[in-house]
Amino acid sequence: MSQDTLKDRASELLQSAGITINGAAPTDLQVHDERLYSRVFAHGSLGLGEAYMDGWWDAGDLPGMFTRMLLSGLDQKLHTFEAVVAHLKARFINLQRGEHAFEIGKAHYDLGNDLFQAMLGKRLVYSCGYWAAADNLDDAQAAKLDLVCRKLQLQPGQRVLDIGCGWGEALKYAAENYGVSGVGITVSQEQAEFARELCAGLPIEIRLQDYHDIDEPFDAVYSIGMFEHVGGKNYRAYFETVERCLKSGGLSLLHCIGTNSAPAQPDPWIEKYIFPNSMIPAATQVTAALQGLFVVEDWHNFGPDYDRTLMAWYANAEAAWDHLPAHYDERFRRMWRFYLATSAAVFRSRRDQLWQLTLSARGVPGGYRVPR
């Protein structure tokens, strides 16, 4: 098929999303290399992302352009071999167990604390903020951490478990503001070292450990932005771990991204460049995995807040880039920009949600009053 034919087909598809090739609107696609069309039709989102990294195209409003694409269902019209392979791997291979559990730490979270410190704001919290009463990123993240503590009904002297503790900010907040002690586990060496320093002097232990291996009692167990790396084949094992570690009468909170789509459909570009071996859960998978183990006391969705969070990260990263080390080169910068922009669009278009599930083993006597 000729380049002109491919360009005409691309133009027709993009027009259905309100996007014009080389148009004047911020959400229009500016093409710098005509080979873009054959690359995208051959490789779908992987080809589109790699072409952007290589400087073959641009858009003034990248998140806005992607939002138009998603709202029109344009991505569903480009089914490629890479997408099929990613789907089959996620469905039939346990990519998150054993030594694979630590791959995400090395590939993403160990990229460098300098990058994440520049992007994430006052606190190194790499998950959705809570913007109900906040007007800036730092306040939104503090509100989210406090919301978690309130939902768990934390009390002084309790001992909590943070599964996937990141850089330790949630544990630090809970210890300082609610008087608890705790254990945080992570699969990232860089995060573990930072968290130990951050939480020095507090009754907090940070471990480099897979959640499957922990078996000790806690008054509350929570996970913030980690479940996306668990994988469908391990969801039941995750909830069994929580149930095993949670004391009688204790509460658990799961903060994670959830999809409206069918299970096990990871994006090939995200899989290759950002989050290897990761999977966004569907509600059907979550409910099946916790059946018989927990009562769902509350299922809170504030997905649009992730759009605001990601756009704040986007602005921070762009503002700081010239001051970051040289190994974050221009291709990496375009990769990171593509990642944040597409992620914001996914939430802006309501394709994905942000869930907080509050769970009890046998139901809270008299009912659970939901903090917001």
Side-chain angles (χ1 to χ4, degrees), residues 52-351:
Y52 183 79
M53 290 163 64
D54 291 338
W56 287 17
W57 65 274
D58 279 294
D61 179 5
L62 205 58
M65 187 199 73
F66 286 129
T67 301
R68 284 176 175 264
M69 288 182 173
L70 293 176
L71 287 172
S72 70
L74 195 59
D75 57 312
Q76 302 299 319
K77 300 172 185 176
L78 293 173
H79 296 288
T80 64
F81 177 72
E82 285 88 351
V84 173
V85 170
H87 174 82
L88 293 176
K89 282 174 62 181
R91 183 171 182 181
F92 295 111
I93 302 173
N94 193 340
L95 298 169
Q96 299 85 12
R97 193 69 194 266
E99 63 182 17
H100 294 303
F102 291 85
E103 289 178 4
I104 185 62
K106 296 174 183 176
H108 190 84
Y109 297 105
D110 289 347
L111 281 171
N113 289 335
D114 48 7
L115 171 62
F116 292 110
Q117 284 175 305
M119 182 177 83
L120 298 179
K122 178 181 176 181
R123 294 178 176 85
L124 282 177
V125 179
Y126 198 14
S127 55
C128 181
Y130 188 53
W131 294 80
D135 60 7
N136 64 81
L137 177 63
D138 292 336
D139 288 349
Q141 293 295 10
K144 185 266 299 297
L145 297 178
D146 198 66
L147 181 67
V148 169
C149 294
R150 288 188 289 122
K151 286 183 175 181
L152 291 170
Q153 300 179 347
L154 296 185
Q155 300 294 325
Q158 290 184 328
R159 184 169 183 255
V160 303
L161 172 63
D162 184 334
I163 300 178
C165 66
W167 291 278
E169 294 281 4
L171 277 171
K172 180 175 184 288
Y173 185 92
E176 290 179 339
N177 293 278
Y178 286 82
V180 303
S181 63
V183 172
I185 60 175
T186 177
V187 294
S188 166
Q189 182 67 46
E190 289 279 338
Q191 286 186 331
E193 292 175 0
F194 187 97
R196 288 178 188 128
E197 185 174 340
L198 180 76
C199 298
L202 294 170
I204 292 169
E205 179 187 359
I206 304 295
R207 304 175 188 168
L208 194 65
Q209 184 177 21
D210 184 359
Y211 68 90
H212 292 91
D213 301 328
I214 192 162
D215 185 7
E216 53 196 271
F218 295 90
D219 296 290
V221 179
Y222 64 88
S223 176
I224 302 174
M226 172 272 182
F227 197 70
E228 297 87 341
H229 307 305
V230 168
K233 290 186 173 296
N234 303 304
Y235 291 159
R236 184 69 177 183
Y238 169 88
F239 286 115
E240 288 174 344
T241 297
V242 175
E243 194 270 341
R244 181 174 69 239
C245 293
L246 192 61
K247 290 182 181 179
S248 177
L251 293 172
S252 178
L253 183 136
L254 176 66
H255 172 116
C256 73
I257 298 169
T259 181
N260 298 338
S261 304
Q265 295 190 9
D267 178 82
W269 187 87
I270 290 289
E271 166 74 18
K272 181 175 180 179
Y273 288 99
I274 306 298
F275 294 119
N277 304 341
S278 296
M279 183 187 302
I280 304 301
T284 51
Q285 293 176 298
V286 175
T287 54
L290 58 76
Q291 187 173 353
L293 295 175
F294 289 103
V295 173
V296 180
E297 299 287 358
D298 182 46
W299 194 313
H300 186 185
N301 178 9
F302 50 98
D305 284 17
Y306 225 144
D307 177 20
R308 295 185 68 177
T309 303
L310 283 152
M311 291 308 298
W313 292 347
Y314 188 101
N316 285 348
E318 289 293 315
W321 210 274
D322 291 342
H323 306 290
L324 290 173
H327 65 267
Y328 299 116
D329 59 15
E330 183 60 22
R331 193 168 192 268
F332 186 98
R333 180 180 189 174
R334 292 179 71 87
M335 177 191 79
W336 206 251
R337 185 185 289 153
F338 188 90
Y339 152 54
L340 294 175
T342 54
S343 298
V346 166
F347 292 98
R348 193 177 301 178
S349 64
R350 302 309 305 275
R351 283 286 191 90

